[in-house]
Structure formats: structure tokens, C-alpha cells
Amino acid sequence: MEETQRQKKIAGIIQKDLADILQRAATDGGLKGTLISVSKVSVTVDLSLAKAYVSIFPNKGAKELLEGIKESQVAIRHELAQRTKYQLRRVPELNFYLDDSLEYIEGIEKSLKGEENPIENRDLLDKRKKS
């Protein structure tokens, strides 16, 4: 089902502000050199739930950083509510997911360059989960 204009607008607002909140928290937390971006936000039809796909560079330690983001979800939602109080009545519940598309693309590029051939070694093809 296609998103409505309202869902797209709210997702855009949340994406922009979340990216700023997460990047500022990372630099204030001493993670200089770590880039956190929100690659996509999708909002449910009733605007009560938002899925945020977070891309973290460099990839090492990304899972631990995502766990830290999930643990501080309440504080992040509060900060988001402060920023969007004139645009949104209620801030949706936030769910964070790791966006591994850059890692996946990197694996494809390695395969195309001939560094690792997935046709010869089928173990190189990891099964991607649908989220």
C-alpha cells in the first residue's frame, strides 16, 4: 500500500530531526569520526508507529551502537517531541533498525571486481533478512 502525502511529510520531518539528534548525541558522546544517518523513515497509516532505518559508518561496532540507540529510545523520542512540537500533535513510537545496504553494496562491488566470486564460493552469498 502506498504512503499518503501526510505519512510522507511526517516521515520526512522525523527523518531530518532524528538524523540531527543521533549525530549530535554521537559527537557529544565522544564518538568523533562516527557517521550516523537515518536512511529511511516509514510511518504507519494511523501515525502511531515509525520505523527508522539507521546507517552507521564505520560498520564496526554498529550493532552495539544500535543497541545503545534502542536503549535510549525514550530520551530520543522526548527530544524529537521538543523539536517537532509545532508540527506534530503526537510523536509516533520509534523503532530503530540497522540499514545494512551499504555493506551489502560493498559485498556486491567486491564480487564484481573479482576479489570474491560468489559463483565459485556459494558461502559468500549471505541471505538477507526482510525487515
Side-chain angles (χ1 to χ4, degrees):
M1 190 167 152
E2 191 176 327
E3 285 185 318
T4 62
Q5 278 300 108
R6 179 139 177 87
Q7 283 175 288
K8 289 177 185 176
K9 266 186 188 175
I10 290 175
I13 291 169
I14 291 173
Q15 181 177 1
K16 181 180 145 305
D17 287 333
L18 261 183
D20 189 41
I21 290 168
L22 293 176
Q23 188 60 47
R24 182 160 295 143
T27 53
D28 291 348
L31 292 174
K32 302 227 187 294
T34 301
L35 180 67
I36 300 175
S37 65
V38 179
S39 55
K40 183 181 179 190
V41 173
S42 60
V43 183
T44 57
V45 178
D46 62 352
L47 308 175
S48 65
L49 186 67
K51 289 182 179 179
Y53 294 90
V54 180
S55 181
I56 301 170
F57 185 80
N59 283 339
K60 64 177 185 200
K63 291 197 187 321
E64 294 83 19
L65 195 55
L66 183 68
E67 289 303 316
I69 289 171
K70 286 180 180 179
E71 287 173 8
S72 59
Q73 196 169 0
V74 174
I76 293 170
R77 186 174 179 209
H78 177 70
E79 176 70 25
L80 186 63
Q82 294 300 313
R83 289 174 179 239
T84 60
K85 63 184 171 189
Y86 298 116
Q87 294 149 319
L88 301 175
R89 282 188 201 146
R90 266 186 85 232
V91 175
E93 189 74 31
L94 300 172
N95 287 338
F96 293 98
Y97 299 95
L98 189 61
D99 181 19
D100 62 345
S101 58
L102 291 176
E103 196 174 299
Y104 186 70
I105 291 170
E106 189 176 305
I108 291 174
E109 285 179 353
K110 279 184 183 178
S111 299
L112 291 174
K113 288 179 184 173
E115 296 172 24
E116 298 174 351
N117 191 346
I119 295 172
E120 294 172 4
N121 185 1
R122 299 296 283 177
D123 296 333
L124 294 174
L125 293 173
D126 55 316
K127 306 294 183 219
R128 286 197 72 184
K129 296 180 289 191
K130 295 266 182 185
S131 50

